[in-house]
């Protein structure tokens, strides 16, 4: 079983600034409390092929995660896929950004979660939790991007 969660939020910053903030995955701990640490390979600007490696804490357990950028269209679109092997992975995810006026940006974030092995039994719980938190997650992105 796979499924998707998503959130949309209006951010009081120009689309180029919001894109730059979100394109640097090392900013994720500012809005995702589950991300304990994160690094980027290679150094330099984010582009297709950039990999972000993180340690996250879910349900009291730490796991390693690796995401590869698969699409990068400044300042409108970022896509990624999880390349780490975990019981539940984000096989596809991304941000869609749209300027909604002078200095405002609408951001849509989504992730498609997939269960592997025993994760096929757990993915429903992960989706329920992610969907329940989706609006709050969007608000955390808004607060972090506006503070940057």
């Amino acid at each position: 079983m796979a499924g998707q969660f998503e959130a949309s939020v209006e951010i009081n910053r120009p689309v180029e600034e919001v894109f730059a903030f979100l394109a640097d995955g090392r900013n994720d701990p500012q809005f995702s409390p589950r991300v304990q640490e994160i690094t980027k390979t290679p150094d330099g600007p984010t582009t297709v092929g950039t990999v972000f490696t993180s340690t996250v804490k879910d349900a009291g357990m730490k796991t390693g995660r690796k995401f590869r950028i698969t699409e990068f269209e400044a300042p409108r679109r970022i896509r990624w896929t999880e390349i780490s092997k975990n019981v539940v992975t984000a096989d596809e995810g991304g941000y869609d950004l749209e300027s909604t006026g002078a200095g405002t940006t609408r951001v849509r974030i989504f992730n498609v979660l997939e269960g592997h092995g025993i994760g096929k039994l757990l993915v429903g719980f992960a989706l329920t939790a992610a969907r329940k938190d989706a609006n709050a997650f969007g608000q955390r992105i808004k607060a972090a991007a506006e503070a940057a």
Side-chain angles (χ1 to χ4, degrees):
M1 173 178 147
Q4 177 173 312
F5 76 90
E6 67 179 80
S8 292
V9 66
E10 188 97 4
I11 299 174
N12 295 314
R13 289 280 186 263
V15 68
E16 295 82 8
E17 290 179 18
V18 176
F19 184 89
F21 177 78
L22 294 173
D24 187 348
R26 295 171 298 182
N27 289 323
D28 285 11
Q30 294 179 45
F31 55 83
S32 183
R34 60 191 288 272
V35 178
Q36 307 290 297
E37 60 184 62
I38 190 163
T39 60
K40 178 174 123 178
T41 307
D43 288 333
T46 300
T47 188
V48 171
T50 298
V51 174
F52 291 95
T53 303
S54 62
T55 301
V56 301
K57 191 172 186 181
D58 289 313
M61 296 175 23
K62 286 186 179 183
T63 59
R65 304 282 174 163
K66 284 189 176 190
F67 293 89
R68 176 177 293 124
I69 301 298
T70 58
E71 294 181 49
F72 194 81
E73 300 171 21
R76 305 274 182 240
R77 183 178 168 103
I78 302 170
R79 293 289 185 269
W80 57 77
T81 188
E82 185 169 351
I83 57 175
S84 51
K85 305 296 180 203
N86 287 292
V87 294
V88 176
T89 58
D91 286 356
E92 179 186 1
Y95 296 113
D96 293 312
L97 296 87
E98 174 186 1
S99 178
T100 53
T104 60
T105 303
R106 180 176 299 118
V107 175
R108 174 184 166 263
I109 181 173
F110 75 95
N111 275 301
V112 176
L113 302 182
E114 177 77 35
H116 310 279
I118 190 127
K120 290 180 181 180
L121 300 173
L122 303 174
V123 71
F125 297 109
L127 278 166
T128 298
R131 288 173 178 154
K132 184 177 178 180
D133 184 56
N135 288 335
F137 186 55
Q139 291 302 310
R140 291 191 302 271
I141 291 172
K142 173 182 173 66
E146 289 178 355

